[in-house]
Amino acid sequence: MIFGMCCSPEKSADMAALGFDFVEWAVASNIGTTDQARFDELQTLTRSLPVTSEVWNILLPGDIKVVGPEADTSKLRNYLDAALPKVRALGGELIVFGSGRSRTVPENFDRTIAETQFREAIGIIADVAGANDLTIVLEPLRTGETNLINTVAEGLAVVEEMAHPNFELLADLYHMLDNGENLADVVPAARHLRHVHIATKPRLVPLEGEDVVVLGQFLTELKRAGYDERMSFECKSDDPDELRRGLEILRETWAAA
């Protein structure tokens, strides 16, 4: 198991110094909606870092919709064709498809049409990812962030239906807790689980008490599932002491699970 931190590129050296094995950057804000100069900066930064952004998140900006009346597959493909080769060039291997605003079904929009649009978009995303030697992982999000694919079980059903070699699944402890999901739901999802996000409500680093107990329960289920790939903190904290201690607890809890 290797442990990472979701952060801005500019914070990456600090995260490496705290002991994280990799960093996780955002596609939309660093690649998808920026110019060549920003990409050049990131290339220079990447060469200087002792860690790599193996994983990327926030695939789509909010103005690229994949469901609803504003869904535009041409716009989506053009964005992906421009962004994904850059992600790969910067060391990316896996991209998290959360992007709740992009995939929220508008009120009064036909749900069946939206689900068809979503699957068409997934096919495009996975194909472009495959052409760039990348894997997409679908992130089930809490109901407060989207109304389409909220639970690990729902995510698993979509991944199995799509059956695309470059389209897999993520489990996020924070979203599972907020949704009231059974942490054991990661076990039947094991064959498609490729990434994990860690935080307790509300986006806290697990440091003590019940938070560490819940973390232990989650990691125990992941071990029962045979999961042993990557795991990232996706937390609000920028406090180095808190993150360092949180990483220690995460490593210790994983070893004991």
Side-chain angles (χ1 to χ4, degrees):
M1 177 67 68
I2 57 174
F3 302 93
M5 180 69 195
C6 299
C7 65
S8 68
E10 290 71 25
K11 292 281 188 180
S12 298
D14 294 338
M15 297 303 108
L18 292 175
F20 287 97
D21 301 310
F22 68 95
V23 286
E24 184 171 331
W25 297 348
V27 179
S29 58
N30 290 297
I31 294 293
T33 58
T34 55
D35 57 17
Q36 183 64 35
R38 176 58 172 167
F39 176 61
D40 292 342
E41 288 177 4
L42 292 177
Q43 284 189 303
T44 299
L45 177 61
T46 295
R47 288 191 290 267
S48 74
L49 290 172
V51 291
T52 302
S53 184
E54 301 176 13
V55 183
W56 293 64
N57 55 38
I58 313 179
L59 173 59
L60 303 178
D63 64 343
I64 293 184
K65 308 295 184 183
V66 297
V67 299
E70 297 178 51
D72 185 335
T73 55
S74 295
K75 184 177 181 180
L76 173 65
R77 186 178 291 276
N78 289 340
Y79 171 87
L80 296 168
D81 285 341
L84 267 54
K86 293 178 180 178
V87 170
R88 190 71 187 103
L90 293 169
E93 299 177 12
L94 184 147
I95 300 176
V96 177
F97 178 25
S99 305
R101 286 195 298 157
S102 295
R103 73 182 211 224
T104 294
V105 182
E107 189 176 356
N108 299 323
F109 189 80
D110 188 288
R111 183 84 181 188
T112 301
I113 293 175
E115 290 174 353
T116 299
Q117 290 176 319
F118 187 59
R119 283 155 179 77
E120 182 179 7
I122 289 171
I124 293 169
I125 292 168
D127 283 347
V128 178
N132 289 280
D133 195 25
L134 293 162
T135 298
I136 302 294
V137 288
L138 176 62
E139 180 177 26
L141 299 171
R142 66 191 185 98
T143 55
E145 295 185 28
T146 189
N147 57 7
L148 184 62
I149 313 302
N150 300 114
T151 69
V152 168
E154 290 170 349
L156 176 61
V158 172
V159 169
E160 291 190 327
E161 178 187 341
M162 296 301 296
H164 194 292
N166 296 88
F167 185 66
E168 299 286 1
L169 186 64
L170 173 148
D172 184 307
L173 176 59
Y174 166 69
H175 292 296
M176 293 185 76
L177 292 174
D178 200 77
N179 286 332
E181 297 173 63
N182 189 331
L183 299 181
D185 285 351
V186 298
V187 176
R191 59 193 174 278
H192 290 291
L193 200 60
R194 294 294 179 271
H195 191 40
V196 168
H197 279 165
I198 296 292
T200 51
K201 295 196 299 184
R203 283 278 185 225
L204 297 177
V205 180
L207 291 172
E208 60 186 1
E210 182 64 21
D211 284 351
V212 175
V213 172
V214 170
L215 175 66
Q217 293 169 345
F218 184 53
L219 298 190
T220 296
E221 296 299 342
L222 287 172
K223 275 203 172 175
R224 189 159 71 92
Y227 182 78
D228 193 15
E229 297 194 29
R230 297 183 183 94
M231 189 177 295
S232 297
F233 272 147
E234 191 178 24
C235 306
K236 292 179 179 179
S237 178
D238 284 326
D239 183 275
D241 292 333
E242 185 171 285
L243 292 175
R244 182 183 293 106
R245 181 57 185 147
L247 179 57
E248 290 173 354
I249 290 171
L250 182 59
R251 289 187 189 277
E252 292 166 0
T253 308
W254 175 255

